[in-house]
Amino acid sequence: MNRRSDFPILNQKVHGKPLVYFDNAATTQKPRLVLDAMNQYYEHTNANVHRGVHALAEAATEAYEQAHRTVAKFISAPGMESIIFTRGTTESLNLLSYSLRDRLKKGDEIVLTRLEHHSNLIPWQQAAKATGATLKFLELTPTGELDISALDKVITDKTKIVTTTHVSNVLGTVVPVKQIADRAHQIGATMIVDAAQSVPHLPISVKKLGADFLAFSGHKMYGPTGIGVLFGTKDALTALLPFLFGGEMVHEVSYETSTWNRLPWKFEAGTPPIAEGVGLAAAIEYLAKLGMDKIAQHEHKITKACYDSLKTMDKITVLGPEERGSLVSFTVDGAHAHDVAALCDQVGVAVRAGHHCAMPLHLHLGIPASTRASFGVYSQETELPVLYDALEKAVRLFS
């Protein structure tokens, strides 16, 4: 699978070297057809949705609603009413944190894992602070996998919400979501999944995962920034209070009271991300045409090659288990992650450095930061030696 020609931005040099883009866990590049779809919308269809009866408004409404249907099909959701467009995974999870607070009281428990991104940790810290609920965590094994042996002890009759990443953005750990969801539902808890690092890389079925809610971002799956998705089952969304209020999400309004629109518009207040929805639908159609099984196989091959090679290099420590998502994080003895990333940049390799919005996990691992290489549909195994050369230079300079 070689899709570099589909992505205009990759046809450039950085510091005189061909661009090797290994920062896909942070954001992915956009194929020409996504850019064309958004330009086409702005040039020929641009109008606000739902309220207008003129031709442009009707065309924009159809395109926007079709985007919801496209997303629903992609994750095997039952229909467009289960798909809420947000600004991204972060807003989706914040929406849940605010709207589920009325179900929490002092003594209740919210269960997370040690793997969580700040976007799936801080909102629940705030919910616990506001309600008196308690945070509990599923721990990690020494190899960076989730310790499922303690599942029944951690998730108890006091647990009201269980929320977990599907794939860790630091360790690459693939979480057994279905097993956790089954335990959560056994005691009547709500199951929430942060799928930002899995939906772009793996075939996803919300039904098979057992998620009541699932969140992901458009910009990490070759779509535009500024749009994300919150999936919810019909029953879960119907019972949920709105997060934002104003136009579009109302059914009837008087000076004294208001009632809410039907799903999914109940949760999409104001002018929505129409062009971004069109772009996201185009990105999903691109991925569907390539085939998520083939994408997973392609990325797994590159990830394994990177993991295996880095494991053999002196002074480099690879973080996380052998079986992983499409990323490899590591440290170089004596070198700060930012210095390593800067050396990689000098030879045209874009990697991420820092705590990757998972500061507590890095503290848990006893390291201040790590460097991360993450892969996508256009990544090639032949690009890896450029990364290795940069890391060997880092070892020579800093170790």
Side-chain angles (χ1 to χ4, degrees), residues 33-84:
L33 64 83
V34 169
L35 305 177
D36 289 345
M38 295 181 71
N39 285 336
Q40 175 75 11
Y41 168 79
Y42 277 126
E43 290 175 359
H44 299 283
T45 314
N46 183 51
N48 216 327
V49 294
H50 294 145
R51 300 293 183 181
V53 295
H54 57 80
L56 291 185
E58 290 180 350
T61 297
E62 173 54 30
Y64 186 63
E65 293 186 356
Q66 180 58 43
H68 286 73
R69 290 189 285 268
T70 298
V71 173
K73 182 179 179 181
F74 188 67
I75 60 172
S76 299
M80 67 174 288
E81 68 276 1
S82 64
I83 302 298
I84 311 301

Side-chain angles (χ1 to χ4, degrees), residues 4 26 90 161 210 236 250 299 350 370 376 387:
R4 284 183 65 89
T90 298
I161 294 170
V250 294
E299 294 178 3
S370 61
L387 171 66

Side-chain angles (χ1 to χ4, degrees), residues 17 43 52 81 88 112 122 295 314 320-321 335 364 382:
K17 306 291 185 180
E43 290 175 359
E81 68 276 1
L112 306 94
I122 299 172
I295 290 171
D314 292 336
H364 182 76
T382 55

Side-chain angles (χ1 to χ4, degrees), residues 189-209:
T190 298
M191 182 69 194
I192 300 167
V193 181
D194 171 1
Q197 298 295 341
S198 61
V199 169
H201 307 285
L202 302 169
I204 297 295
S205 165
V206 289
K207 184 176 182 180
K208 290 180 180 179
L209 284 178

Side-chain angles (χ1 to χ4, degrees), residues 237-252:
L237 288 174
T238 299
L240 203 65
L241 291 174
F243 172 53
L244 297 172
F245 301 92
E248 206 60 54
M249 54 76 63
V250 294
H251 176 58
E252 290 185 345

Side-chain angles (χ1 to χ4, degrees), residues 171-174 303 307 318-329:
L171 303 183
T173 307
V174 181
T303 305
Y307 174 88
V318 180
L319 307 177
E322 183 173 358
E323 289 301 316
R324 58 178 55 231
S326 301
L327 60 92
V328 181
S329 296

